[in-house]
């Protein structure tokens, strides 16, 4: 068990600078937050600390600026949206994350105020877990809290290096809740245990599937991840994404666990996302790629998922659902899982984009057992692997 923010006496927070790693990596359109689920899930921790008189410093990444300043990936719109959601007064924003200007912004805070610091990944030191960047981050705060469940599978400066520099490292309420539910799926899922994985972060997901496939009773694959397996079966997949280094492994897995693995049998294909879709039942033509599972696959997956028993764990959209004509497979699966839950199955869904797809499918938060803010992190944790950002937190004694 990890030490949480509730384990520290209330009077320990007054006036102190609390550095809170949050996961505000949310979909943005223009300067608007398109999906604020992750922001809302961070509110209990932020308000708890603010009410106890802490100076709350929020640090997060957004997107992939790769160590450079990318204006469209500023956290400013996120800070603005957070200001609308929070009940406590005053959300400020600092254009600097570390250094003199950031220190000054922190010094100017009153107890109970909240400051959002600019995107951590504008600095190359964040993803490199650079010791100097970690020290600069750590020097901003007196206490360290991690409530960014979605990034706990990464040993970056904000989730690992900086955390190590604090004598006490606390879990926030969101992390506490996530671990409570996901540890049940990890250790003792109701059977049958059905796992459905899609999405585009292919290497990450294949690595987690390695550990998860043996534990699951059924594995349904879709989205970008399916084509490495189909290519391993010898299917012609056109320009669909294939992770070459995993082909040998995929062949072995299909030989050993093929009975429980389901792959798309038909595909919605196009040359690019902007082109008109076509249906492919066998090989995918040269120059075309699959952007969604086809109707036959959707129907087969519906039959696999619709019973009200056991546990369903889903991460990763089945297609490029942001574009309406490639959204059908994802919407069908989302609604089928909600139906299975209504009938009594445990339903756990996670991932930034997967959660956004629930909105498109008009599935409500209350229609699932748990909606995790983590995709890769949830997948890795459920598969039995450790999360560096969780390991580094203090143990409850
Ligand atoms: P999550 O955030 O839920 O963990 P990922 O980040 O791995 O999921 O993947 C989400 C993205 O995958 C979505 O933006 C979706 O458009 C994309 N995607 C899914 N299937 C395909 C596909 N067949 N081709 C291209 N993109 C896809
Ligand atoms: Mg994603």
């Amino acid at each position: 068990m990890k030490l949480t923010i509730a384990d520290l006496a209330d009077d320990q927070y007054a006036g102190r600078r609390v550095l809170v790693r949050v996961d505000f990596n949310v979909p943005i359109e223009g300067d608007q937050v398109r999906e604020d689920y992750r922001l809302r899930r961070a509110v209990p921790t932020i308000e708890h600390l603010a009410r106890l008189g802490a100076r709350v410093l929020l640090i997060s990444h957004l997107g992939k600026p790769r160590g450079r300043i990318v204006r469209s990936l500023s956290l400013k719109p996120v800070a603005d949206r957070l200001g609308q959601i929070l009940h406590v007064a005053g959300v400020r924003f600092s254009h600097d994350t570390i250094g003199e200007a950031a220190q000054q912004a922190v010094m100017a805070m009153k107890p109970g105020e909240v400051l959002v610091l600019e995107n951590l990944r504008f600095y190359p030191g964040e993803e490199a877990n650079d010791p100097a960047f970690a020290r600069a981050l750590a020097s901003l705060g007196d206490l360290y809290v991690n409530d960014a469940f979605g990034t706990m599978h990464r040993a970056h400066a904000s989730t690992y290096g900086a955390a190590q520099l604090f004598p006490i490292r606390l879990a926030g309420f969101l992390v506490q809740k996530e671990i409570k539910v996901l540890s049940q799926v990890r250790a003792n899922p109701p059977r049958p245990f059905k796992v459905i994985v899609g999405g585009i972060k292919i290497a990450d997901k294949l690595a987690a599937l390695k550990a998860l496939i043996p534990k699951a009773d059924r594995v349904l694959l879709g989205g970008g991840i399916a084509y490495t397996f189909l290519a391993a079966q010898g299917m012609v997949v056109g320009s669909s994404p294939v992770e070459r280094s995993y082909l040998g492994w995929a062949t072995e897995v299909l030989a050993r666990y093929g009975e429980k693995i389901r792959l798309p049998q038909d595909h919605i294909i196009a040359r690019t996302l902007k082109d008109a879709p076509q249906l492919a039942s066998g090989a995918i033509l040269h120059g075309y790629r699959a952007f969604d599972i086809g109707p036959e696959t959707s129907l087969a997956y519906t039959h696999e998922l619709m019973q009200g028993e056991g546990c369903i764990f889903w991460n990763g959209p089945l297609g490029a659902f942001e574009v309406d004509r490639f959204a059908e497979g994802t919407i069908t699966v989302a609604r089928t899982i909600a139906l299975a839950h209504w009938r009594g199955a445990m339903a756990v869904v996670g991932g930034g984009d997967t959660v956004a797809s629930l909105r498109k499918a008009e599935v409500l938060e209350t229609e699932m057992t748990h909606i995790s803010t983590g995709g890769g992190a949830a997948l890795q944790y459920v598969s039995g692997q450790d999360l560096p950002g969780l390991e580094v937190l203090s143990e409850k004694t």
Side-chain angles (χ1 to χ4, degrees):
M1 283 294 274
K2 294 297 180 184
L3 211 59
T4 75
I5 51 174
D7 293 322
L8 219 60
D10 285 357
D11 61 8
Q12 291 298 298
Y13 292 105
R16 299 187 77 185
R17 301 169 303 159
V18 185
L19 187 66
V20 188
R21 177 49 157 114
V22 285
D23 183 359
F24 285 175
N25 183 31
V26 293
I28 303 247
E29 246 167 38
D31 57 358
Q32 293 295 314
V33 173
R34 187 158 57 82
E35 167 57 59
D36 65 1
Y37 185 69
R38 283 180 169 168
L39 306 189
R40 288 184 285 114
R41 295 308 300 260
V43 165
T45 291
I46 298 169
E47 292 199 339
H48 179 80
L49 296 171
R51 288 217 170 91
L52 295 175
R55 298 165 212 258
V56 186
L57 310 176
L58 303 178
I59 50 173
S60 177
H61 75 284
L62 176 65
K64 294 195 173 79
R66 299 184 198 281
R68 287 178 301 118
I69 295 174
V70 178
R71 284 190 67 107
S72 61
L73 294 177
S74 171
L75 281 170
K76 178 74 170 59
V78 177
D80 291 342
R81 179 65 155 262
L82 184 68
Q84 295 163 359
I85 297 173
L86 285 182
H87 296 293
V88 292
V91 174
R92 292 165 189 253
F93 178 73
S94 163
H95 287 282
D96 295 273
T97 314
I98 53 164
E100 193 79 5
Q103 292 282 4
Q104 273 170 15
V106 174
M107 297 299 269
M109 290 172 80
K110 297 189 194 72
E113 277 188 349
V114 176
L115 178 71
V116 177
L117 297 157
E118 185 56 289
N119 194 342
L120 288 161
R121 291 192 188 165
F122 284 0
Y123 301 76
E126 164 63 358
E127 288 182 85
N129 192 20
D130 171 59
F133 183 72
R135 271 197 305 278
L137 270 182
S139 72
L140 295 170
D142 305 307
L143 292 166
Y144 176 85
V145 174
N146 194 335
D147 211 20
F149 179 72
T151 29
M152 283 193 145
H153 57 318
R154 312 257 184 239
H156 292 168
S158 65
T159 57
Y160 202 79
Q164 284 179 308
L165 301 173
F166 289 86
I168 299 179
R169 304 160 305 273
L170 304 161
F173 291 134
L174 170 60
V175 165
Q176 185 182 23
K177 169 87 195 294
E178 293 268 17
I179 297 300
K180 189 171 166 217
V181 179
L182 295 174
S183 61
Q184 194 203 338
V185 181
R186 172 179 160 122
N188 191 19
R191 300 281 172 175
F193 178 29
K194 302 170 190 171
V195 173
I196 166 152
V197 179
I200 207 71
K201 290 178 184 160
I202 300 174
D204 270 12
K205 295 188 185 203
L206 289 173
L209 272 177
K210 256 186 190 175
L212 203 50
I213 289 173
K215 293 171 109 182
D217 298 305
R218 267 280 182 279
V219 180
L220 313 183
L221 300 175
I225 191 140
Y227 297 90
T228 300
F229 290 88
L230 289 168
Q233 282 185 335
M235 188 184 128
V236 176
V237 299
S239 333
S240 306
V242 171
E243 197 67 42
R244 302 251 150 233
S245 59
Y246 276 88
L247 280 176
W249 169 76
T251 309
E252 271 170 47
V253 163
L254 288 168
R256 180 147 179 218
Y257 298 107
E259 300 235 312
K260 55 175 150 178
I261 298 175
R262 297 288 178 270
L263 292 166
Q265 296 305 309
D266 59 347
H267 320 269
I268 305 295
I269 62 167
R271 283 186 183 276
T272 73
L273 275 178
K274 295 199 173 78
D275 295 318
Q278 298 178 29
L279 179 63
S281 296
I284 296 172
L285 296 173
H286 181 71
Y288 285 76
R289 55 179 286 182
F291 286 113
D292 196 7
I293 56 174
E296 216 173 287
T297 308
S298 279
L299 191 63
Y301 285 10
T302 299
H303 284 297
E304 294 281 3
L305 294 170
M306 66 193 280
Q307 292 76 26
E309 47 173 31
C311 176
I312 300 172
F313 175 76
W314 174 33
N315 165 243
L318 285 299
F321 75 94
E322 295 89 345
V323 179
D324 286 352
R325 43 185 194 283
F326 303 115
E328 208 51 52
T330 304
I331 290 175
T332 303
V333 162
R335 290 183 181 165
T336 305
I337 296 175
L339 172 67
H341 176 54
W342 182 79
R343 289 174 160 177
M346 180 178 189
V348 178
V349 174
D353 296 292
T354 308
V355 171
S357 79
L358 291 178
R359 169 154 307 182
K360 185 142 194 168
E362 298 175 305
V363 170
L364 303 175
E365 279 162 51
T366 48
E367 293 183 270
M368 300 286 178
T369 308
H370 179 65
I371 298 182
S372 174
T373 52
L379 198 58
Q380 196 167 313
Y381 187 73
V382 165
S383 77
Q385 293 163 273
D386 289 331
L387 307 177
L390 183 64
E391 290 302 300
V392 77
L393 300 182
S394 306
E395 285 295 328
K396 208 178 274 206
T397 44

